[in-house]
């Protein structure tokens, strides 16, 4: 669990390192953490531990106005470095938005590729490297509300809401959306970059269901973008697919779908499969796919085996319907796999 720790100061908070060079002043009422804070690592360690991230500050706004204040502080900041010190002047302040922090490449935690020298410098005890670009991570964990309008069948969802909560709350109302299956993924980054999941073959992408969104622009203005708004129609188009390049999306209105009364999640596993048999099984999978109904979406994966020449095989997915038709759908495929995969342990 993340430590509940925040600064208690009476004046605007300024990072003593990179941000001070630009005179970036984040209002003290906004919860925030810099490399000088003891709990800094708790707020900056990404899901993928292969990467290290050193943002200049991580902030946790609670309202649209606080997000706007952060963005405006960056927008209006001016460098206080001398004319002879050009390193800061050439390094723009980046804003990175984090709705869940699930990005495998740690982009939502402030990761940026650096040279070996910069990476070494970033490892200083204070966590600040003089040659690393200043980054402010705006974490939207407080934007985790869900509201549903029965008449329009539209759900208004905060950008920091996790997919697990979205799925559970909508299903209580007999509604659903296409999205991924990892419950801890924040919907903001997920939906702005597509929002693909097992139901996408039948329902499309989560991005396709957006009808409106609230966005903070680079100058700190708060706008509502939709396809019906001529003023921000281009913004609405651009945000769906390239959102981080144009603004901070705080919430979305999404047109929901009727949830099926029953559906099947499935996972079949085979250990110690010869690579040659796994290859033939995958070729059969490719032959079978063109005739698969849209209600069925699958993944066929190989993982490293315990010894050379063998792999672990997974076949997983979701079927939008009862289990009987699901079995009838996969039966022809399984019959083609029998020469390569052992089905003696499979219980239907």
């Amino acid at each position: 669990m993340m430590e509940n720790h925040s600064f208690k100061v009476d004046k605007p908070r300024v990072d003593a390192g990179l941000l001070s060079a630009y005179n970036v002043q984040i209002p003290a009422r906004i919860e925030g953490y810099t490399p000088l804070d003891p709990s800094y690592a708790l707020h900056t360690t990404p899901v993928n531990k292969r990467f290290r991230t050193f943002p200049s500050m991580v902030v946790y706004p609670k309202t649209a106005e606080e997000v706007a204040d952060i963005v405006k502080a960056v927008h209006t900041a001016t460098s206080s470095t001398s004319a002879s010190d050009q390193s800061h002047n050439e390094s723009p302040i980046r804003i990175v938005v984090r709705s869940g922090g699930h990005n495998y490449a740690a982009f939502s935690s402030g990761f940026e590729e650096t040279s070996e020298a910069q990476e070494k410098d970033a490892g200083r005890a204070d966590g600040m490297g003089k040659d690393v670009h200043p980054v402010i991570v705006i974490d939207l964990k407080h934007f985790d509300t869900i509201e549903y309008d029965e008449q329009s069948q539209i759900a208004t969802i905060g950008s920091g809401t996790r997919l697990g909560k979205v799925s559970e709350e909508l299903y209580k109302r007999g509604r659903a959306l296409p999205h991924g299956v990892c419950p801890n993924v924040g919907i903001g980054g997920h939906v702005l970059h597509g929002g693909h999941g097992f139901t996408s073959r039948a329902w499309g992408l989560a991005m396709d269901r957006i009808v409106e969104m609230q966005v903070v622009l680079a100058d700190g203005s708060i706008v509502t973008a939709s396809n019906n708004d001529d003023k921000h129609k281009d913004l609405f188009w651009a945000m769906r697919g390239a959102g981080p390049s144009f603004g901070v999306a705080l919430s979305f209105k999404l047109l929901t779908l009727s949830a099926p009364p029953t559906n099947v999640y499935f996972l079949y596993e085979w250990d110690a499969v010869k690579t040659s048999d796994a290859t033939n099984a995958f070729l059969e999978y490719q032959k079978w796919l063109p005739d698969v109904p849209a209600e069925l979406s699958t993944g066929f994966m190989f993982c490293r085996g315990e010894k050379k020449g063998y792999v672990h095989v997974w076949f997983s997915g979701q079927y939008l319907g009862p289990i009987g038709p699901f079995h009838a759908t996969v039966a022809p495929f399984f019959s083609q796999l029998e020469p390569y995969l052992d089905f003696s342990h499979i219980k239907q």
Side-chain angles (χ1 to χ4, degrees):
M1 180 176 294
M2 189 171 288
E3 179 184 346
N4 184 14
H5 179 89
S6 60
F7 285 91
K8 300 293 183 182
V9 293
D10 296 323
K11 59 183 180 179
R13 186 184 306 111
V14 180
D15 182 355
L18 294 172
L19 294 183
S20 62
Y22 290 90
N23 193 30
V24 177
Q25 300 188 27
I26 305 299
R29 69 179 186 279
I30 302 174
E31 179 185 2
Y33 304 85
T34 73
L36 301 180
D37 189 85
S39 62
Y40 175 77
L42 294 175
H43 305 277
T44 58
T45 302
V47 172
N48 189 345
K49 301 301 189 296
R50 295 179 63 186
F51 297 106
R52 295 192 304 162
T53 58
F54 300 97
S56 303
M57 181 177 286
V58 179
V59 288
Y60 295 91
K62 295 182 179 180
T63 65
E65 289 71 25
E66 288 187 349
V67 175
D69 287 343
I70 296 167
V71 174
K72 281 188 288 188
V74 174
H75 183 69
T76 59
T78 57
S79 175
S80 62
T81 57
S82 64
S84 60
D85 183 5
Q86 295 297 316
S87 61
H88 289 304
N89 294 331
E90 296 174 355
S91 301
I93 305 171
R94 293 196 303 121
I95 289 180
V96 174
V97 185
R98 183 169 69 192
S99 58
H102 199 272
N103 186 282
Y104 290 148
F107 295 142
S108 58
S109 296
F111 174 76
E112 180 176 6
E113 291 189 29
T114 60
S115 66
E116 184 176 346
Q118 290 173 326
E119 180 69 16
K120 182 178 180 181
D121 193 56
R124 291 164 42 189
D126 60 6
M128 294 181 291
K130 64 181 181 180
D131 294 324
V132 178
H133 292 285
V135 176
I136 295 179
V137 175
I138 300 178
D139 191 296
L140 299 177
K141 72 172 185 176
H142 295 301
F143 293 78
D144 63 346
T145 58
I146 300 177
E147 299 177 359
Y148 176 70
D149 180 71
E150 192 76 37
Q151 184 174 359
S152 66
Q153 300 179 337
I154 289 176
T156 303
I157 305 176
S159 191
T161 311
R162 306 300 178 102
L163 294 184
K165 181 177 179 179
V166 172
S167 181
E168 290 178 357
E169 292 299 317
L170 291 181
Y171 195 75
K172 291 176 184 177
R173 298 165 173 83
R175 309 301 296 176
L177 287 168
H179 56 67
V181 297
C182 296
N184 289 327
V185 172
I187 195 172
H190 186 63
V191 73
L192 288 177
H193 293 90
H196 181 271
F198 280 139
T199 58
S200 290
R201 294 190 69 238
W203 295 348
L205 302 174
M207 184 175 66
D208 300 329
R209 311 306 298 179
I210 303 174
V211 296
E212 183 179 294
M213 65 184 81
Q214 185 184 48
V215 182
V216 176
L217 301 180
D219 61 358
S221 58
I222 304 170
V223 302
T224 299
S226 74
N227 204 39
N228 297 322
D229 179 11
D230 290 338
K231 185 176 181 181
H232 300 297
K233 184 177 292 187
D234 287 346
L235 176 65
F236 181 70
W237 180 86
M239 289 291 294
R240 294 176 300 153
S245 297
F246 295 94
V248 181
L250 303 181
S251 65
F252 307 91
K253 291 185 181 294
L254 301 110
L255 182 61
T256 62
L257 294 145
S258 178
T262 58
N263 64 91
V264 179
Y265 284 96
F266 58 91
L267 171 62
Y268 296 89
E269 299 179 70
W270 292 270
D271 291 321
V273 178
K274 291 182 179 180
T275 53
S276 58
D277 287 338
T279 300
N280 287 323
F282 188 73
L283 292 174
E284 293 297 336
Y285 176 66
Q286 290 181 307
K287 295 176 185 177
W288 172 68
L289 280 178
D291 297 323
V292 171
E295 290 76 20
L296 177 65
S297 188
T298 65
F300 200 72
M301 297 175 285
F302 299 161
C303 300
R304 187 173 61 181
E306 295 183 359
K307 57 183 179 179
K308 186 177 181 180
Y310 290 83
V311 294
H312 184 84
V313 177
W314 282 18
F315 176 60
S316 62
Q318 180 182 11
Y319 180 76
L320 299 175
I323 195 165
F326 163 70
H327 284 156
T329 301
V330 299
F333 174 51
F334 283 178
S335 67
Q336 297 300 314
L337 295 182
E338 288 180 356
Y340 315 113
L341 302 177
D342 180 12
F343 279 81
S344 61
H345 67 295
I346 301 296
K347 295 181 180 180
Q348 296 287 5

